[in-house]
Amino acid sequence: MRKLLKCLLIGLLLVATIANLGTDLKQGRGALLIVLAGLALAPRVWRWLSGRSSTTKRKLFWGLLGLTVVIELTVLLTMPTSVFHDPFRVRYQASLLASGHFDWGTSDYFYRYPNNAVNAVLLAGPLWVGRLVGFNDATTLGALGFVMTNALILACAALARRLAKDRAAAVLVVAWFLISPVTYTNFLQVPYSDLPSILAVAVILLAWPAHQERPQWSQLIVLGGAVLVGQLIKPNLIVLAPAVLLTWCLVKFRRQLLAPVTTVLVALALTLPVKQALLTAGHYQANARYRLPATSWIYMSYLPATGGQYNSRVVQQEEALPNLATRQRFVQSALVNQVKELGVGGLFQQWATKLVNLIDERHVPIEYRAGPQRAPAWYLAHAKLAGVLQTFLLQVGWLTLFALTLRQVIYLRFTSATTVRPPGGLGGRLRGLRGPLVGGGGSVWFGSAPVLIRARQPADGAPIQWRRGTVASLLVAVSRHRRGAGPVNQPPQA
């Protein structure tokens, strides 16, 4: 089973790497050359950085974070962006709610997509508070994006430092966010459901009380709160349920997981009543006339014409039907016929297409953004070059992330003879599938996309001292959102 999982992980990472090379071979070759050079230099960079003093690492961390903040503020103040589609509708409805206008009937959008009705109610709170202190909605939304973006950076940096037991890992995380265009585009300027849901996952990993038989109540409260808020904003975080249950099944000593697993499941269960309470507070009432069946999304995922993504033609066909029951029968019949039409080969091809769409991150900065409302003259004069540079940097960032992980997994695949099993079932079965890599100074590294977990082997032959973070690897692997993987890369010592 471990060998099968290793091969599966290698295959997924290869697909991710190829998908992010793109169709522009000239630009893709340039990005690939930079990434290959980075792979060759990675061990030396890590040794140099980890060998710096704590004061130097601290200065590097805050210096890079400060530079990131300066760029963020410059973008917010000089290049406000226009948004469209879902974020625009949520913002507009939240603005109405913050003003005391509880009219949901201006369009049928929220009747068809009730999940975003919850987001509109949640967003109305900050907008209302902003108006109390004299901010307009644009300023409040900019401040919200700024706070959540930097909270995500700090959360990922804290997680990396905890897992690696070295501030150098946090420095690398901040450096990744510094060069990534996503930081200054979708995350900063479009604080839609993606950013808060990724932040919720990061907080969940931080709050998860690994290796604690008696976790603190404060940890459990933060854990439960992050799960609840994340599930309200992005319902597909329900994948946390199978993640924690699988964790429970794989470990031998389950007592220490009883509290956190129970907390996660209870928080997920509380989502339904809390969601209904929020919709009631916002005076929202469902309208079955426009409701789409859940199977509609499954049907759209098997349509090659749109790559398995949202298909407006299908939605229009369903809206023409008189009621929900008729739509359900239509979708059920259409789904069966579509699967038969695709056949076995077509199914695998469709799944591969959806996988590529999932892990191709090059398009993220332009999603929901129609362009700047205004911009400095120097930017407008070089807007085309800036767009090319943005795409290139995004390619380099994601290719580096995937390539480092792929390098680690492949190397460990051929060094499995040196495997040192960590204590407990989860570490042995999950992190063991990535295998250990013995590095300088008696360190044993366990690769896990996108983090590496290190154990220290004392020189005198004493038992290995295992670091915290046993469950983090599984939670990241199972609950990774489409734009959610945190950029933590730590190359092993040569």
Side-chain angles (χ1 to χ4, degrees), residues 107-127:
S107 74
D108 57 9
Y109 174 82
F110 290 102
Y111 296 138
R112 285 187 282 125
Y113 311 112
N115 289 331
N116 271 346
V118 178
N119 291 330
V121 175
L122 290 173
L123 183 58
L127 294 182

Side-chain angles (χ1 to χ4, degrees), residues 375-393:
W378 61 265
Y379 176 84
L380 295 176
H382 303 89
K384 185 176 180 179
L385 177 62
V388 173
L389 181 62
Q390 172 181 278
T391 305
F392 183 74
L393 288 176

Side-chain angles (χ1 to χ4, degrees), residues 138-189:
T139 302
T140 302
L141 290 169
L144 191 62
F146 177 81
V147 170
M148 288 194 296
T149 299
N150 289 287
L152 177 62
I153 296 175
L154 292 174
C156 291
L159 182 61
R161 182 185 179 187
R162 173 186 294 182
L163 295 177
K165 294 297 181 182
D166 195 330
R167 191 185 290 270
V171 175
L172 292 176
V173 169
V174 177
W176 193 94
F177 276 101
L178 173 63
I179 68 170
S180 177
V182 179
T183 305
Y184 316 106
T185 53
N186 260 43
F187 281 178
L188 182 67
Q189 296 181 309

Side-chain angles (χ1 to χ4, degrees), residues 422 426-427 429-435 446-447 453 466 469-471 473:
L426 178 62
R429 298 176 191 178
L430 286 180
R431 237 178 282 135
L433 66 88
R434 285 106 174 150
F446 285 86
I453 296 150
W466 294 95
T470 302
V471 186
S473 181

Side-chain angles (χ1 to χ4, degrees), residues 407-422:
R407 170 185 179 272
Q408 182 76 353
V409 174
I410 293 176
Y411 188 83
L412 300 181
R413 175 69 180 87
F414 293 103
T415 57
S416 57
T418 62
T419 298
V420 180
R421 290 180 179 270

